[in-house]
Amino acid sequence: MKQLAATDIPEIDDLLHEPARLRLLACLAAVKRADFTFLLNLSGLSRGNLSVQMSKLSEAKLVSIEKTFRDNRPRTLYQLTKQGTDALRNYKRNMMTILSALPD
Amino acid sequence: MPHSSTSLEQKIYRHYWDDGLLDLFAALGVALIGASWMHGYAAAGAIVPAVLVPLWQPARERLVEPRLGFVEFSDTRERQNRKRLKLVLYLGIIALIAALELYFQRELLAANPGLRLVAGLPAMLLAVLAAATALLIASARFLVYSGVLLAVGSVGAWLGWSPGAIMAAGGAIMFIAASAVFAKFLRANPVEPGVRE
């Protein structure tokens, strides 16, 4: 009988597995792009927390940032990158594998 | 995975229209057309939408976006919206033509009591338009407005009101409801100036 190796259990990406970041990524996966204020309203996070989480996602190149001005007000637009989409796909697949092994 | 029409995307899309500004514009349009008709300006049926429609986007950018933020929906959603918007426009044109025909036949209708229920037809056509808008923006509120216009159209015609008075009354009721929705949105979402993102 083949022994189960550690690699047979899917790895979960810590960056995506954090609840606030996962919610933000899910929001961005549902739309084309959104600005800081929209994500702030939608996520219910504080400004500071949202800023920190988006910076982490941007550093990991999962999200792209575009800074613009509108009516003399700064506007930061966020969009899920191809890398972010792939990471979410991978995360979903791994989570499904793990969740399907759990008892009903 | 992204840009697909998921239930989360649908929720976000509904949330996008929660501010009530479109409601306010629609109500203002119906009330203004009705009031103009009452004073004999039938052309208002074409002029009022032509003035209000281009004003909506700048008003949204100035009043709603600083509070709610900006979002761009998926290409799939945009394509679907364009199709539905065409339907709403066609319905609007049909409603306008039918209403203008009624306006020009108003003396004949007034002389024939058996036809007085026809006076409610413009409001009922606008009710169909409101129902189509409800479909377009996934908003239950516009279904309520559709019901209001249907009810005011039926009751007003039964009471012998003119088409203009019926639309003005329906628009006024919509305007009160829309103002409440928009005021609630403004109160719940104050603009915070000069914040760091």
Side-chain angles (χ1 to χ4, degrees):
Chain A
M1 192 174 141
K2 192 188 165 204
Q3 266 199 320
L4 192 70
T7 49
D8 290 334
I9 303 169
E11 274 198 38
I12 297 299
D13 188 336
D14 284 345
L15 187 71
L16 273 71
H17 200 56
E18 199 281 325
R21 285 195 290 273
L22 188 57
R23 287 175 70 196
L24 291 167
L25 286 169
C27 291
L28 286 173
V31 300
K32 198 169 184 177
R33 56 184 186 158
D35 75 357
F36 186 89
T37 310
F38 195 84
L39 290 175
L40 189 73
N41 281 313
L42 209 58
S43 65
L45 298 176
S46 68
R47 283 184 175 275
N49 194 5
L50 177 60
S51 193
V52 167
Q53 303 305 346
M54 293 314 291
S55 296
K56 283 184 182 171
L57 293 172
S58 167
E59 280 164 22
K61 299 195 182 339
L62 300 183
V63 162
S64 67
I65 297 179
E66 186 189 341
K67 287 187 181 283
T68 59
F69 276 87
R70 183 134 193 186
D71 294 332
N72 293 324
R73 292 171 65 87
R75 184 164 77 174
T76 312
L77 288 163
Y78 299 97
Q79 187 169 9
L80 199 64
T81 60
K82 169 83 172 60
Q83 201 171 322
T85 305
D86 291 344
L88 274 177
R89 274 206 185 97
N90 203 28
Y91 175 83
K92 186 179 177 182
R93 193 171 47 239
N94 290 347
M95 281 302 289
M96 297 285 270
T97 307
I98 288 174
L99 290 173
S100 65
L102 298 184
D104 290 328
Chain B
M1 181 163 28
H3 317 330
S4 61
S5 185
T6 60
S7 62
L8 179 61
E9 194 263 358
Q10 283 162 13
K11 280 181 188 165
I12 294 172
Y13 186 68
R14 274 200 296 272
H15 173 65
Y16 179 79
W17 297 104
D18 274 351
D19 52 85
L21 185 67
L22 185 67
D23 310 35
L24 210 55
F25 269 68
L28 199 62
V30 174
L32 281 175
I33 293 171
S36 305
W37 273 37
M38 286 171 75
H39 294 93
Y41 300 110
I47 294 168
V48 170
V51 171
L52 287 180
V53 170
L55 284 177
W56 176 77
Q57 186 63 33
R60 183 175 172 91
E61 284 170 10
R62 187 159 283 271
L63 298 169
V64 177
E65 274 186 17
R67 294 171 166 86
L68 188 69
F70 168 86
V71 65
E72 205 177 309
F73 288 94
S74 67
D75 294 337
T76 313
R77 169 67 74 180
E78 297 295 336
R79 273 196 299 276
Q80 189 185 57
N81 278 355
R82 273 197 293 275
K83 276 187 199 163
R84 289 179 176 175
L85 190 62
K86 268 187 201 166
L87 172 74
V88 173
L89 280 175
Y90 292 148
L91 282 173
I93 291 167
I94 292 168
L96 179 67
I97 293 168
L100 283 174
E101 178 61 22
L102 278 176
Y103 180 82
F104 291 120
Q105 301 292 334
R106 63 189 183 282
E107 282 170 11
L108 176 73
L109 293 173
N112 191 341
L115 292 175
R116 71 177 183 184
L117 285 180
V118 178
L121 205 57
M124 290 178 190
L125 288 167
L126 288 174
V128 175
L129 204 59
T133 306
L135 175 74
L136 178 72
I137 66 167
S139 163
R141 289 195 313 277
F142 271 80
L143 277 181
V144 175
Y145 299 145
S146 176
V148 166
L149 288 168
L150 273 177
V152 174
S154 314
V155 174
W158 185 256
L159 293 172
W161 294 359
S162 70
I166 291 170
M167 280 194 287
I173 294 169
M174 281 173 68
F175 190 78
I176 292 166
S179 300
V181 173
F182 191 56
K184 188 180 168 194
F185 168 77
L186 293 180
R187 271 199 307 273
N189 298 280
V191 182
E192 295 173 50
V195 284
R196 188 179 166 275
E197 293 184 354

